[in-house]
Amino acid sequence: MRTRQGLVWLLGVAMVALYAAPVSAGVGSYFRGGLTDLEVGVERVTDGAWAVASATVQNGKTIVQLNVKDLGGGVGDTFGAHVHVGPCVVDAGGLAGPHFNAGGGISAETEVWLDFTVTPGGTGHATAVVPFEIDSGLAQSVVIHEAPTDASTGAAGARMACLPLEF
């Protein structure tokens, strides 16, 4: 009986690792799991939330989809989310680095902006289709910010949470 319980536990750990880690698959990436808290000790709507995100390349364009679930409050509030060049590190939002930029000025045409509004069900959804491909290794995360994206500067306030999405 003890061996069977150990096998079930090991299988569970393997499944969590499969679903909670970024997975690169050729021309696309996928993530499903809990968000990395970038401001431990600061209460945010993203605390305890999880996400499913994907990125695929088709015909010279990149399509990024973001679905966030179990957001705690903030119904009707809009939050900015962007693809960043660096990794997700607990309590160290700065390590996610700047937004990925394909070249040129700051805009939704040169960066990946995924702003979403929190629904009464505690979810948020966004899709961005950008006219460029993100080469493998050039971007590592999606960061959720405390405010909507300012279209003129690309800024969206403090970095609240992060999810790994390696390109």
Side-chain angles (χ1 to χ4, degrees):
M1 185 67 148
R2 187 173 206 137
T3 304
R4 187 174 193 182
Q5 287 175 336
L7 183 58
V8 169
W9 178 84
L10 185 59
L11 183 59
V13 169
M15 289 180 71
V16 167
L18 176 65
Y19 287 109
V23 178
S24 295
V27 295
S29 299
Y30 175 81
F31 170 85
R32 177 181 175 178
L35 299 177
T36 300
D37 188 349
L38 298 179
E39 290 188 305
V40 173
V42 178
E43 196 170 317
R44 299 285 192 178
V45 301
T46 52
D47 292 350
W50 62 281
V52 175
S54 66
T56 54
V57 175
Q58 292 181 347
N59 302 321
K61 297 179 181 182
T62 302
I63 303 160
V64 181
Q65 295 183 313
L66 172 65
N67 294 291
V68 185
K69 191 167 179 150
D70 295 335
L71 293 161
V75 173
D77 291 342
T78 300
F79 298 98
H82 311 114
V83 170
H84 282 249
V85 301
C88 299
V89 179
V90 173
D91 208 24
L95 294 179
H99 298 172
F100 173 83
N101 188 297
I106 296 170
S107 75
E109 295 294 311
T110 60
E111 297 184 354
V112 182
W113 295 354
L114 295 156
D115 289 25
F116 63 88
T117 301
V118 179
T119 70
T123 64
H125 311 281
T127 299
V129 180
V130 292
F132 54 83
E133 294 182 19
I134 300 175
D135 291 331
S136 179
L138 294 183
Q140 299 181 48
S141 59
V142 173
V143 172
I144 299 173
H145 297 268
E146 70 176 349
T149 303
D150 179 316
S152 62
T153 66
R159 298 171 183 203
M160 300 189 305
C162 185
L163 55 139
L165 190 63
E166 297 178 10
F167 291 79

